[in-house]
Amino acid sequence: MWQGLILSDEVNPWELLVLAEHAALEAARFIVERRPADLGVAETKSSPTDVVTEMDTGAEQLIRKAVLERRPDDGFLGEEGGADSGASGVRWVIDPIDGTVNYLYGLPAFAVSIGVEVGGTTVAGVVAAPLMGEVYTAVRGAGAWCNGAPVKARPATGLGDALVATGFGYRAERRRRQGEIVRALLPRVRDIRRGGSAALDLCAVAAGRLDGYFERGTHAWDCSAGALIATEAGAVVGGFHGAEAGEPMVIAAPRGTFTALHDALVELGADATDY
Ligand code: IPD
């Protein structure tokens, strides 16, 4: 469907990418420059979490404004600002700060993530990590880049040689189950990482810095851009039993690794629906 749309003068994925990158960089500058230096430790009038929420909301507003100035009929799905379907068939899926806990503590692994959908398919994406000095981009069918240089996922590997990242949800019961799965998986893989940003984990798979990534409970805004970037870099991104990647599961890895990781997770009961 979107292929028909990009033939029109109005919707060109490269133009969407340019606008997405412009908006992401503006938001990235905002969250770095406006972050109070002592956010994680100082006693502030409000709690540090409130300050992060303020930064999140401010960054998302900047992105929406930058988009609406050029494309007033587009829709949005944002972590802070909710959903608005728009009238153009183009939707911007925004996580103004993915890796908010890293941001809170001053760890560099946080990013602005923007995926752009046309007719429900993500056609362009950007993940900008200002303290890492990295901007990942992708256009569907055309490739994925880091700071303008093409990125490529690693060749597939056996599970025993795989460096695998994952993440944990915010709910205690879900975290307990996720912890049990990781405990059982750990002896079967090279090692496990918990980076704290799903968008950057997906970009790390794209850049060949990880053999795989999996997580239950992510939202569309965490993964929209990163999933396109990983796919365009040659990884497979999907869920359990042939389902698309989504809230129940996101797995990203080169094909052979994807299958090994998927099957191991199923064997460990990670596809259960009660957590
Ligand atoms: C979170 C991060 C984290 C993942 C969580 C996400 P947020 O997003 O991506 O790595 O494990 O599932 O919710 O809250 O920092 O935008």
Side-chain angles (χ1 to χ4, degrees), residues 1-2 5 10-11 13 16-17 19-20 60 63-64 67-68 71-79 81-95 113-126 219-225 228 244-245:
M1 178 183 184
W2 63 270
L5 284 169
E10 240 180 83
V11 186
L16 295 175
L17 180 66
L19 183 51
E60 188 167 325
I63 295 166
R64 287 182 185 236
V67 170
L68 287 172
R71 304 189 49 86
D73 296 330
D74 287 359
F76 295 90
L77 175 65
E79 181 168 21
D84 159 10
S85 56
S88 66
V90 176
R91 186 170 79 149
W92 298 71
V93 183
I94 303 165
D95 192 343
S113 172
I114 306 177
V116 196
E117 297 175 350
V118 178
T121 300
T122 309
V123 299
V126 55
H219 300 284
W221 49 79
D222 299 315
C223 295
S224 169
L228 178 66
E244 280 186 17

Side-chain angles (χ1 to χ4, degrees), residues 11 60 92 100 102 176 196 198 225 228 231 242 247-248 261 270:
V11 186
E60 188 167 325
W92 298 71
T100 37
N102 286 343
R176 191 184 65 72
L228 178 66
T231 304
E247 213 165 317
L261 185 56

Side-chain angles (χ1 to χ4, degrees), residues 31-32 34-56 97 99-107 110:
I31 60 178
V32 169
R34 298 290 192 88
R35 180 187 182 279
D38 56 357
L39 189 58
V41 286
E43 279 183 32
T44 53
K45 241 164 83 185
S46 56
S47 79
T49 323
D50 289 343
V51 181
V52 172
T53 306
E54 254 173 56
M55 293 290 125
D56 249 320
I97 308 178
T100 37
V101 178
N102 286 343
Y103 179 74
L104 178 63
Y105 277 76
L107 289 165
F110 61 84

Side-chain angles (χ1 to χ4, degrees), residues 52 56 79-80 95-103 109-111 166-170 174-175 178 194-201 213-219 221-223:
V52 172
D56 249 320
E79 181 168 21
E80 300 305 320
D95 192 343
I97 308 178
D98 186 59
T100 37
V101 178
N102 286 343
Y103 179 74
F110 61 84
T166 191
F168 305 114
Y170 288 105
R174 172 168 284 169
R175 294 168 77 83
Q178 288 174 317
R194 198 292 191 238
S197 158
L200 286 172
D201 286 337
Y213 160 73
F214 73 94
E215 183 167 351
R216 162 164 301 206
T218 57
H219 300 284
W221 49 79
D222 299 315
C223 295

Side-chain angles (χ1 to χ4, degrees), residues 129-140:
L131 294 194
M132 294 169 66
E134 292 186 335
V135 180
Y136 290 86
T137 50
V139 166
R140 181 165 295 275

